[in-house]
Each structure stands twice: as C-alpha cells, then as structure tokens.
Amino acid sequence: MNFSEVFKLSSLLCRFSPNGKYLASCVQYRLVVREVSTLQILQLYTCLDQVQHIEWSADSLFILCAMYKRGVVQVWSLEQPEWHCKIDEGSAGLVASCWSPDGRHILNTTEFHLRITVWSLCTKSVSYIKYPKACQQGISFTRDGRYLALAERRDCRDYVSVFVCNDWQLLRHFNTDTQDLVGIEWAPNGCVLAVWDSCLEYKVLLYSLDGRLLSSYCAYEWSLGIKSVAWSPSSQFLAVGSYDGKVRLLNHVTWKVITEFAHPAALSDPKIVVYKEAKKSPQPGLDHLAFPPSLPVANHLSAAESKYEIASMPVSLQTLKPVADRANPRMGVGMLAFSPDSCFLATRNDNIPNAVWVWDIRKLRLFVVLEQLSPVRAFRWDPQQPRLAICTGGSKVYLWSPAGCLSVQVPGEGDFPVLSLCWHLSGDSLALLSKDHFCLCFLETKEGVSPALGQRDGHA
C-alpha cells in the first residue's frame, strides 16, 4: 500500500471525474485539476470567491464551482481552458446547484426554494420550475438520465413532478400521501420511485413511473420513524433505517419486509465475527536504542498505531445514551450502504457510534462487526468489489473485505485526521480528505513506482 504526497484542500472539496482520469480539488477560490495517473497539475482555475461546492459533468468535460454566498456558479472546460461560463442568480440567491445527466444543463435552486432555474450551456436558454420543496433529498435523476423526479410543496400538500430531461417537459404530476416529505430516490433501474416521510411519521411510499402507488409501508406509529434509506444496486432491495435501531429490508416483488436487522449492544452468536480495534504498543528494537532519541512526534505516531483483534463471545459494544430533550437525537440507523454486488449491507447505529455492522444479504444475517476506538465518521464501498473503507477522524484508514480487515496509519510528519474519503472508479486508489489537506492511497501497485507514488510510501 502506497501513499502520495499531501496536497492542500478546502472544505473537503475533492472529486474524481466520472471517467477516472482527473482529480479536482479546491483551495479557497482556486480550482486545481490533476491527472490521476501522475497527480501533475493539468489546469488551474481562479474563481470569483471561495468555492462551496464542485461537481463534474457526466462526460468529465466540464466542472462547475458554486459560490453560494455570492449567488454565482462558474463553469470551466477541460478541453478549452480559455472558455468559461458565469451564471449569476442575482437577488434570488443560490442554495444548491447540480448538473443534469447530459452534462449540458445546470439546475440552480434559489434561496427559500422559490424556484429551480435550468440553464442550458448549448442554447443559453433558461427554464423555470416552480414550488420545489426544501427537503433533504428533493431531486432525483434516473440512472439512464432520462427522467427527473422533483419533490414539490403546494397548498400545504406534498407533490412529485416527473420531467423528461431532453426538453424539460412535465411527464407526470401527482400528490403523495405524506405529512412532510423529506426524500425521494429512484431505484437504480429507474422503474420505481421511493418517497419517504419525515421522522415524525413512519411512511415509505413506492410509485411507478406513471405515478401509480405500488405500495405503502409503515413499521410502527407514535414514535420517531425513518432516518435513512438506500436502494441496492440490483434494485431488488430497499433498506430502511429507523430510529428504533433496526433496518427493514423490502423486496422488489411484493414490497413487503423480508427481514429486520437489529443492532443490539450485546452479541453472543458464535457465528458472528467481531473485530475490535486495539492500540498496538511499539515493539522494542534497535530504533529505541538510537542516539539521539527519536522525535516526540514520531514516538506519538508509532504509539498511536492500532490493529484488529478478534473478540471472543460474548461481546458488549460501547453505547451512547441519547439526549432525549434535544432535536435530532443520536440514535437509530443513520448510515446505510450496499456493496456494488448487492451482497453486503454496511450500517451504523448512531447510539453505538464506534461500530460498523456488515450484513450478508444472501443469507440475511449479520456477518461481521467492526468496533473502532473512535466514532465512525464515514464509510464507502469499493465500486468494483465488496471492500469497505472506513474513517474515524484519526490518522488511519480502515479496510474490510470478506478475507479480513486491516488498520493503516497514514504516513508523514504531523497528524492527518481523515474526515472523509472517496474511491476512484477502478477501486485501485482512495482519496483521504482532512480539513486542510488530502492525499491518495494506492491499494494495488505494479512493478516500478509511478511519479504519483514516489513521495510517501507506507506498506501494510
């Protein structure tokens, strides 16, 4: 395993291009585009202000930089560096910006969600969509890029409008049986739209493309309800994480629950493997006899190294008691992610924040639990295989696959707190993001060291 040198970064804005050739990162008002193979700077763009959001077009030819405070979006071209585009929303303001799947239209959401403006880069035409709802996940495109579903709020009722992305014409418009809709998401095959209510009302609704209600699901009443929702890549399962600490798995045939995954703090099943992260004390050796003595920083880093140990049953996991009299209590299943082959589901129960649970979907049972020393900040699946990367805000990255798991210290001087991470399309490298820096972790290396690998080497 190898690591690149460290590069500067602002606001965790670091994105691989969809074709995997480029890596874009922001340093305040500068946008830096590098070639992934060498990490050499390909283009350097200067924006009008500090950037809050960046996004690649689907064909990797353009990249947008949104400056919400100014209400401005700037678009840059990789093929024609001298070409640029500036979109100014003016007094309407700007709270969100995204690409359409064709990579030639930009959707800007104005302040107070008064409207969505659709800007065309080809014809310079402008279209408006009224009544978008201010919710967590109110826009969803089908994977083939043909349709857009938009959550709307009119006359104190929730609606969904389905648009054809070719000409932005309205295809379907229907009201949803929700009290306060907070999210919509198409199944990966584009045939079913999942709609779910706020945490005050447990309700999941499934609609067809023509607006027909296929099914409605409610697990319980009079308690906090849905916290997270995720489709499997195969579109066969819809996982619903709830505040009661359970994940319900709905199947695509009957849309009924086929199983419930609970997250107990005490485990006793001998078939479950529990990996516990443990501090690894430095081994006595010649390094400790060197003169002059090692620097304190180096001693600190070596002492902070950790490893995984297989715990013997029964196991008690560290729990966090939620504060009941505050909003958004730290309880329930807040993170869900399916592996690319739909064989595994990774979850985190927020009141057991140090643990990642991996479920075997083929056997519908708990497969592995990984308990970290610190609360889990993020986890991401390798796009090509069932391999999970985890970060906890420390200077380590953790990897799990069915073959086992390991803890890797990010090498270098000083501390590198990994706050987020993202995979390259090939699954061969991983971008590790801290507050002010980022580096690349190369998981598979061939003979010879490429220019991107030459600075910082670490092996596990």
Side-chain angles (χ1 to χ4, degrees), residues 7-222:
F7 303 99
K8 289 185 177 181
L9 185 69
S10 297
S11 305
L12 302 179
L13 294 177
C14 181
R15 305 285 186 272
F16 287 108
S17 61
N19 63 8
K21 294 181 180 179
Y22 312 112
L23 177 65
S25 61
C26 278
V27 184
Q28 295 183 346
Y29 58 88
R30 287 189 176 91
L31 173 67
V32 184
V33 179
R34 302 175 187 273
E35 291 185 356
V36 169
S37 58
T38 63
L39 291 182
Q40 296 299 310
I41 294 178
L42 181 67
Q43 297 292 343
L44 181 63
Y45 305 101
T46 301
C47 300
L48 295 172
D49 204 343
Q50 184 163 344
V51 181
Q52 275 91 44
H53 173 70
I54 62 173
E55 186 175 332
W56 286 95
S57 62
D59 55 10
S60 303
L61 296 179
F62 298 92
I63 184 167
L64 71 79
C65 299
M67 289 145 278
Y68 297 140
K69 294 179 182 178
R70 275 187 176 238
V72 171
V73 172
Q74 287 186 274
V75 185
W76 307 98
S77 169
L78 260 66
E79 286 189 332
Q80 300 175 333
E82 67 280 357
W83 179 94
H84 68 278
C85 169
K86 174 187 171 186
I87 300 173
D88 192 342
E89 292 291 348
S91 59
L94 182 68
V95 296
S97 182
C98 68
W99 284 102
S100 67
D102 66 358
R104 296 299 179 269
H105 293 81
I106 293 174
L107 282 69
N108 285 345
T109 305
T110 62
E111 285 188 347
F112 308 110
H113 285 73
L114 298 178
R115 69 178 185 229
I116 291 179
T117 311
V118 183
W119 301 83
S120 172
L121 298 185
C122 299
T123 64
K124 298 183 181 179
S125 62
V126 182
S127 305
Y128 298 100
I129 302 175
K130 295 182 179 180
Y131 312 114
K133 183 169 184 180
C135 56
Q136 297 174 1
Q137 194 173 335
I139 293 179
S140 181
F141 290 97
T142 54
R143 186 162 292 185
D144 60 10
R146 296 178 63 187
Y147 303 108
L148 161 68
L150 176 69
E152 300 179 354
R153 187 74 172 178
R154 306 186 185 191
D155 303 322
C156 301
R157 296 188 66 183
D158 291 327
Y159 294 85
V160 169
S161 289
V162 179
F163 296 89
V164 181
C165 294
N166 287 340
D167 52 11
W168 303 104
Q169 293 299 311
L170 182 65
L171 178 67
R172 289 288 184 272
H173 175 74
F174 54 92
N175 68 299
T176 61
D177 186 22
T178 51
Q179 296 293 327
D180 183 15
L181 183 155
V182 296
I184 60 176
E185 187 174 351
W186 288 106
N189 60 14
C191 296
V192 180
L193 180 70
V195 176
W196 59 96
D197 220 324
S198 73
C199 62
L200 300 178
E201 184 87 13
Y202 199 117
K203 186 175 290 186
V204 179
L205 304 168
L206 296 152
Y207 291 93
S208 63
L209 185 60
D210 58 3
R212 289 181 297 112
L213 179 63
L214 300 176
S215 183
S216 175
Y217 174 69
C218 174
Y220 53 81
E221 294 180 326
W222 316 116

Side-chain angles (χ1 to χ4, degrees), residues 59 118 160 194 257 320 323 382 400:
D59 55 10
V118 183
V160 169
V257 173
L320 182 71
V323 180
D382 183 332
W400 173 88

Side-chain angles (χ1 to χ4, degrees), residues 1 27 84 125 136 170 226 228 239 284-285 305 317 373 391:
M1 183 177 292
V27 184
H84 68 278
S125 62
Q136 297 174 1
L170 182 65
I226 298 169
S228 55
E305 290 183 357
L317 304 175
L373 292 173
C391 66

